[in-house]
Amino acid sequence: MDIYSNILYVKEDRVSLSQLAHRAVKIDKYRPETCCIVGNYYSLKAQHEKAVQYFQRALKLDRSYLSAWTLMGHEYVEMKNTAAAIEAYRRAVDINERDYRAWYGLGQ
């Protein structure tokens, strides 16, 4: 479901992403996937600090959750926090060295 939320984010479909986030929270708000969906929603609304909070929640639930590290890196880039973005992307690469999204983030 978090991959679907990424698609909705890229399409800038705020309404569908909001509906998905509400449904995911209703089903199980303590899943890392749910936290990433909600984080994507706040990112789309340009509420980057709040998005980071949700990605951090996802990582409290599962420290090896690759999407949360990568998405958090993207948020830190938006917030102009280069050091934190690099750290998040490096954590993602440590989990999966073949993840192109994290390598792309490091190359920015």
Side-chain angles (χ1 to χ4, degrees):
M1 290 310 278
D2 61 326
I3 295 170
Y4 179 55
S5 80
N6 289 340
I7 293 168
L8 294 175
Y9 175 87
V10 170
K11 289 178 61 178
E12 297 181 11
D13 188 346
R14 191 178 292 187
V15 172
S16 296
L17 187 52
S18 173
Q19 291 171 345
L20 179 64
H22 282 288
R23 274 190 241 126
V25 168
K26 195 180 231 184
I27 292 168
D28 188 354
K29 66 180 178 179
Y30 298 108
R31 297 279 313 156
E33 294 89 349
T34 299
C35 295
C36 282
I37 292 167
V38 175
N40 270 339
Y41 172 72
Y42 283 115
S43 178
L44 189 56
K45 290 181 63 175
Q47 294 182 15
H48 304 296
E49 294 84 4
K50 199 150 190 172
V52 166
Q53 287 178 340
Y54 277 93
F55 296 136
Q56 288 173 339
R57 286 181 191 178
L59 292 168
K60 284 182 183 175
L61 296 167
D62 182 356
R63 296 296 291 170
S64 65
Y65 196 61
L66 179 64
S67 290
W69 285 114
T70 304
L71 293 170
M72 190 163 62
H74 295 339
E75 293 308 306
Y76 283 132
V77 167
E78 290 296 320
M79 296 165 59
K80 309 284 191 253
N81 187 342
T82 306
I86 290 170
E87 178 63 24
Y89 290 134
R90 283 188 178 157
R91 294 282 185 109
V93 168
D94 288 344
I95 294 166
N96 181 356
E97 65 186 28
R98 303 181 106 198
D99 183 55
Y100 69 92
R101 297 168 301 170
W103 284 110
Y104 173 81
L106 281 170
Q108 288 185 25

